[in-house]
Coordinates of all heavy atoms in Angstrom, one line a residue:
L22 N -6.7 -0.2 0.0 CA -5.4 0.3 0.4 C -4.6 -0.7 1.2 O -5.0 -1.0 2.3 CB -5.7 1.7 1.2 CG -6.5 2.7 0.6 CD1 -7.0 3.9 1.6 CD2 -5.8 3.4 -0.6
I23 N -3.5 -1.0 0.7 CA -2.7 -2.0 1.3 C -1.2 -1.3 1.7 O -0.6 -0.8 0.7 CB -2.4 -3.3 0.5 CG1 -3.8 -3.8 0.1 CG2 -1.5 -4.2 1.1 CD1 -4.6 -4.5 1.3
N24 N -0.7 -1.4 2.9 CA 0.5 -0.9 3.3 C 1.5 -2.0 3.0 O 1.7 -2.9 4.0 CB 0.6 -0.4 4.7 CG 1.8 0.2 5.2 OD1 2.7 0.4 4.3 ND2 2.0 0.4 6.5
A25 N 2.1 -2.1 1.7 CA 2.9 -3.3 1.4 C 4.0 -3.4 2.5 O 4.8 -2.5 2.7 CB 3.4 -3.0 0.1
G26 N 4.2 -4.6 3.0 CA 5.3 -4.9 4.0 C 5.0 -4.2 5.3 O 5.9 -4.4 6.3
G27 N 3.9 -3.6 5.5 CA 3.8 -2.8 6.9 C 2.5 -3.2 7.5 O 1.7 -4.1 7.3
K28 N 2.3 -2.4 8.6 CA 1.1 -2.5 9.5 C -0.1 -1.7 9.1 O 0.1 -0.9 8.2 CB 1.5 -2.1 10.9 CG 2.6 -2.9 11.6 CD 3.0 -2.5 12.9 CE 4.1 -3.3 13.5 NZ 4.5 -2.9 14.8
R29 N -1.1 -1.9 9.8 CA -2.3 -0.9 9.5 C -1.9 0.6 9.7 O -1.0 0.9 10.4 CB -3.4 -1.2 10.5 CG -4.1 -2.5 10.3 CD -5.2 -2.7 11.2 NE -4.9 -2.1 12.5 CZ -5.7 -2.3 13.6 NH1 -6.9 -2.8 13.5 NH2 -5.3 -1.8 14.8
Y30 N -2.5 1.5 8.8 CA -2.0 2.8 9.0 C -3.3 3.7 8.6 O -4.0 3.3 7.7 CB -0.9 2.9 7.9 CG -0.5 4.3 7.5 CD1 0.3 5.1 8.3 CD2 -0.7 4.9 6.3 CE1 0.6 6.4 8.1 CE2 -0.4 6.1 6.0 CZ 0.4 6.8 6.8 OH 0.9 8.2 6.4
R31 N -3.2 4.8 9.1 CA -4.2 5.9 8.8 C -3.6 7.0 8.3 O -2.7 7.6 9.0 CB -5.1 6.3 10.0 CG -6.2 7.2 9.6 CD -7.2 7.7 10.8 NE -7.7 6.6 11.5 CZ -9.1 6.2 11.3 NH1 -9.7 6.8 10.5 NH2 -9.5 5.1 11.9
D32 N -3.8 7.4 7.2 CA -3.1 8.7 6.5 C -3.6 9.9 6.9 O -4.5 10.0 7.7 CB -3.0 8.5 5.0 CG -4.2 8.5 4.3 OD1 -5.2 9.2 4.8 OD2 -4.3 7.9 3.2
T33 N -2.9 11.0 6.4 CA -3.4 12.3 6.9 C -4.8 12.8 6.3 O -5.3 13.6 6.9 CB -2.4 13.4 6.4 OG1 -2.3 13.2 4.9 CG2 -1.0 13.2 7.0
A34 N -5.3 12.1 5.3 CA -6.7 12.2 4.9 C -7.7 11.4 5.6 O -8.8 11.4 5.3 CB -6.8 12.0 3.4
G35 N -7.2 10.6 6.6 CA -8.2 9.8 7.4 C -8.4 8.3 6.8 O -9.3 7.7 7.3
R36 N -7.9 8.0 5.6 CA -8.0 6.8 5.0 C -7.3 5.8 5.7 O -6.2 5.9 6.3 CB -7.7 6.9 3.5 CG -8.3 7.9 2.6 CD -7.9 7.9 1.3 NE -6.5 8.3 1.4 CZ -5.8 8.5 0.3 NH1 -6.3 8.5 -0.9 NH2 -4.4 8.9 0.4
K37 N -8.0 4.6 6.0 CA -7.4 3.4 6.6 C -6.8 2.4 5.5 O -7.4 1.9 4.5 CB -8.5 2.6 7.3 CG -9.1 3.4 8.4 CD -10.2 2.7 9.2 CE -10.9 3.5 10.1 NZ -12.1 2.8 10.7
W38 N -5.5 2.3 5.7 CA -4.7 1.4 5.0 C -4.5 0.1 5.7 O -4.4 0.0 7.0 CB -3.3 1.8 4.7 CG -3.3 3.0 3.9 CD1 -3.7 4.3 4.2 CD2 -2.7 3.2 2.6 NE1 -3.4 5.2 3.2 CE2 -2.9 4.6 2.2 CE3 -2.0 2.3 1.7 CZ2 -2.5 5.0 1.0 CZ3 -1.6 2.8 0.5 CH2 -1.9 4.2 0.0
K39 N -4.9 -1.1 5.0 CA -4.7 -2.4 5.7 C -3.4 -2.8 5.8 O -2.4 -2.3 5.1 CB -5.6 -3.4 4.8 CG -7.0 -3.2 4.8 CD -7.6 -4.2 3.9 CE -9.2 -4.0 3.9 NZ -9.8 -5.0 3.2
K40 N -3.0 -3.7 6.9 CA -1.7 -4.3 7.0 C -1.4 -5.1 5.7 O -2.3 -5.4 4.9 CB -1.6 -5.2 8.2 CG -2.4 -6.4 8.2 CD -2.3 -7.1 9.4 CE -3.0 -8.5 9.2 NZ -2.8 -9.3 10.4
D41 N -0.2 -5.4 5.4 CA 0.2 -6.1 4.2 C -0.5 -7.5 4.3 O -0.5 -8.2 5.2 CB 1.7 -6.4 4.4 CG 2.4 -6.9 3.0 OD1 1.6 -6.7 2.1 OD2 3.5 -7.4 3.0
T42 N -1.4 -7.6 3.2 CA -2.2 -8.9 3.2 C -2.5 -9.2 1.7 O -2.2 -8.3 0.7 CB -3.6 -8.5 3.9 OG1 -4.3 -9.7 3.9 CG2 -4.4 -7.4 3.2
K43 N -3.2 -10.3 1.3 CA -3.4 -10.7 0.1 C -2.2 -10.9 -0.9 O -2.3 -10.8 -2.1 CB -4.4 -9.8 -0.7 CG -5.7 -9.6 0.2 CD -6.6 -10.8 0.0 CE -7.9 -10.5 0.6 NZ -8.9 -11.6 0.5
F44 N -1.0 -11.1 -0.2 CA 0.2 -11.3 -1.1 C 0.6 -12.8 -1.3 O 0.1 -13.6 -0.4 CB 1.3 -10.6 -0.5 CG 1.7 -11.0 0.9 CD1 2.5 -12.1 1.1 CD2 1.2 -10.4 2.0 CE1 2.8 -12.5 2.4 CE2 1.4 -10.7 3.2 CZ 2.3 -11.9 3.5
I45 N 1.4 -13.1 -2.3 CA 1.9 -14.4 -2.4 C 3.4 -14.1 -2.8 O 3.8 -13.4 -3.6 CB 1.3 -15.1 -3.8 CG1 -0.2 -15.3 -3.5 CG2 2.1 -16.3 -4.0 CD1 -0.9 -15.7 -4.8
G46 N 4.2 -14.7 -1.8 CA 5.7 -14.5 -2.0 C 6.2 -13.1 -1.5 O 5.6 -12.3 -1.0
G47 N 7.6 -13.1 -1.6 CA 8.3 -11.9 -1.2 C 8.5 -11.9 0.3 O 8.1 -12.7 1.0
S48 N 9.3 -10.7 0.7 CA 9.4 -10.7 2.2 C 9.2 -9.2 2.5 O 9.6 -8.3 1.7 CB 10.9 -11.0 2.3 OG 11.3 -12.2 2.0
P49 N 8.8 -8.9 3.7 CA 8.5 -7.6 4.2 C 9.8 -7.0 4.5 O 10.7 -7.6 5.0 CB 7.5 -7.7 5.2 CG 7.8 -9.2 5.9 CD 8.3 -9.9 4.7
V50 N 9.9 -5.6 4.3 CA 11.0 -4.8 4.7 C 10.5 -3.5 5.2 O 9.5 -2.8 4.7 CB 11.9 -4.5 3.4 CG1 13.1 -3.5 3.8 CG2 12.6 -5.6 2.8
V51 N 11.1 -3.2 6.4 CA 10.6 -1.8 7.0 C 12.0 -1.0 7.5 O 12.9 -1.6 7.9 CB 9.9 -2.2 8.3 CG1 9.5 -0.9 9.1 CG2 8.7 -3.0 8.0
V52 N 11.9 0.2 7.1 CA 13.1 1.1 7.6 C 12.5 2.0 8.7 O 11.3 2.4 8.5 CB 13.6 1.8 6.3 CG1 14.2 0.9 5.3 CG2 12.6 2.6 5.6
K53 N 13.5 2.4 9.4 CA 13.1 3.3 10.5 C 12.8 4.8 10.0 O 11.8 5.5 10.3 CB 14.0 3.4 11.6 CG 14.2 2.1 12.3 CD 12.9 1.7 13.1 CE 13.1 0.3 13.6 NZ 11.9 -0.3 14.2
R54 N 13.7 5.3 9.2 CA 13.7 6.7 8.6 C 13.8 6.7 7.3 O 14.5 6.0 6.6 CB 14.7 7.6 9.3 CG 14.5 7.9 10.8 CD 15.5 8.8 11.2 NE 16.1 8.6 12.5 CZ 17.0 8.9 13.1 NH1 17.8 9.8 12.3 NH2 17.5 8.7 14.3
L55 N 13.0 7.6 6.5 CA 13.0 7.7 5.2 C 12.5 9.2 4.9 O 11.4 9.5 5.3 CB 12.2 6.8 4.5 CG 12.2 6.8 2.9 CD1 13.5 6.5 2.4 CD2 11.1 5.9 2.4
S56 N 13.3 9.9 4.1 CA 12.8 11.2 3.7 C 12.2 11.2 2.4 O 12.8 10.7 1.3 CB 14.0 12.2 3.6 OG 13.7 13.5 3.2
V57 N 11.0 11.5 2.1 CA 10.2 11.5 0.8 C 9.7 12.9 0.7 O 8.7 13.3 1.1 CB 9.1 10.5 0.8 CG1 8.4 10.5 -0.4 CG2 9.6 9.0 1.2
P58 N 10.6 13.7 -0.1 CA 10.2 15.0 -0.4 C 8.9 15.2 -1.0 O 8.4 14.3 -1.8 CB 11.2 15.6 -1.4 CG 12.4 14.7 -1.0 CD 11.8 13.3 -0.8
N59 N 8.1 16.2 -0.6 CA 6.8 16.5 -1.3 C 5.8 15.5 -1.2 O 4.8 15.4 -1.9 CB 6.8 16.8 -2.7 CG 7.9 18.0 -3.0 OD1 7.9 19.0 -2.3 ND2 8.8 17.8 -4.0
S60 N 5.7 14.7 -0.1 CA 4.8 13.7 0.2 C 3.9 14.1 1.5 O 4.4 14.3 2.4 CB 5.5 12.3 0.4 OG 4.5 11.4 0.8
A61 N 2.7 13.8 1.3 CA 1.7 14.1 2.4 C 1.7 13.0 3.4 O 1.1 13.1 4.5 CB 0.4 14.6 1.9
M62 N 2.2 11.9 3.0 CA 2.2 10.7 3.9 C 3.4 9.8 3.7 O 3.5 8.7 3.2 CB 0.9 9.8 3.4 CG 0.7 9.6 2.0 SD -0.8 8.7 1.8 CE -0.6 8.1 0.0
P63 N 4.5 10.4 4.2 CA 5.8 9.7 4.1 C 5.9 8.3 4.9 O 6.6 7.6 4.5 CB 6.8 10.7 4.8 CG 5.9 11.6 5.7 CD 4.6 11.7 5.0
K64 N 5.1 8.2 5.8 CA 5.1 6.9 6.7 C 4.9 5.7 5.7 O 5.4 4.6 5.9 CB 4.2 7.1 7.8 CG 4.3 5.7 8.7 CD 3.5 5.8 10.0 CE 3.6 4.7 10.9 NZ 2.8 4.5 12.0
I65 N 3.9 6.0 4.8 CA 3.7 4.8 4.0 C 4.7 4.3 3.2 O 4.8 3.2 2.7 CB 2.4 5.2 3.0 CG1 1.6 4.0 2.6 CG2 2.8 6.0 1.8 CD1 0.7 3.3 3.6
Y66 N 5.8 5.2 3.0 CA 7.0 4.8 2.0 C 8.0 4.1 3.0 O 9.2 3.8 2.5 CB 7.6 6.1 1.4 CG 6.4 6.4 0.4 CD1 5.9 7.7 0.6 CD2 6.3 5.8 -0.9 CE1 5.0 8.1 -0.3 CE2 5.5 6.3 -1.7 CZ 4.8 7.4 -1.4 OH 3.8 8.0 -2.3
T67 N 7.8 3.7 4.3 CA 8.8 3.1 5.1 C 8.7 1.7 5.1 O 9.5 1.0 5.9 CB 8.7 3.7 6.5 OG1 7.5 3.4 7.1 CG2 9.0 5.2 6.6
S68 N 7.8 1.0 4.4 CA 7.8 -0.5 4.2 C 7.5 -0.8 2.9 O 7.1 0.0 2.0 CB 6.6 -1.0 5.2 OG 5.4 -0.5 4.8
A69 N 7.9 -2.0 2.7 CA 7.8 -2.6 1.2 C 7.7 -4.2 1.3 O 8.0 -4.8 2.3 CB 8.9 -2.1 0.4
R70 N 7.3 -4.6 0.2 CA 7.5 -6.2 0.0 C 8.5 -6.3 -1.1 O 8.3 -5.7 -2.2 CB 6.1 -6.8 -0.3 CG 6.2 -8.2 -0.7 CD 4.9 -8.9 -0.4 NE 4.5 -8.9 1.0 CZ 5.1 -9.7 2.0 NH1 5.9 -10.7 1.6 NH2 4.6 -9.6 3.2
V71 N 9.6 -7.0 -1.0 CA 10.6 -7.2 -1.9 C 10.8 -8.7 -2.4 O 10.3 -9.6 -1.6 CB 12.0 -6.7 -1.3 CG1 12.0 -5.3 -0.9 CG2 12.4 -7.6 -0.1
G72 N 11.4 -8.9 -3.5 CA 11.6 -10.1 -4.0 C 10.4 -10.4 -4.9 O 9.5 -9.6 -5.3
K73 N 10.2 -11.7 -5.4 CA 9.2 -12.0 -6.3 C 8.0 -12.2 -5.7 O 7.8 -13.1 -4.8 CB 9.6 -13.3 -7.1 CG 8.7 -13.8 -8.2 CD 9.2 -14.9 -8.9 CE 8.2 -15.2 -10.1 NZ 8.6 -16.4 -10.9
S74 N 7.0 -11.3 -5.9 CA 5.8 -11.4 -5.1 C 4.7 -10.8 -6.0 O 4.9 -10.2 -7.1 CB 5.8 -10.4 -3.8 OG 6.1 -9.2 -4.2
Q75 N 3.5 -11.2 -5.6 CA 2.2 -10.6 -6.3 C 1.1 -10.4 -5.2 O 1.2 -11.0 -4.2 CB 1.9 -11.6 -7.4 CG 1.3 -12.8 -6.9 CD 1.0 -13.8 -8.0 OE1 1.5 -13.7 -9.1 NE2 0.2 -14.9 -7.8

Side-chain angles (χ1 to χ4, degrees):
L22 303 169
I23 303 294
N24 184 9
K28 298 177 182 178
R29 292 183 316 184
Y30 170 70
R31 185 182 298 260
D32 65 25
T33 56
R36 296 177 301 184
K37 295 178 183 177
W38 294 67
K39 294 180 181 181
K40 68 179 183 176
D41 195 18
T42 186
K43 303 284 187 179
F44 60 86
I45 300 167
S48 300
V50 173
V51 178
V52 296
K53 297 292 180 196
R54 290 190 217 164
L55 180 67
S56 175
V57 181
N59 304 315
S60 174
M62 48 186 194
K64 186 175 179 182
I65 203 73
Y66 296 105
T67 61
S68 64
R70 178 155 291 281
V71 297
K73 188 174 181 180
S74 61
Q75 66 184 21

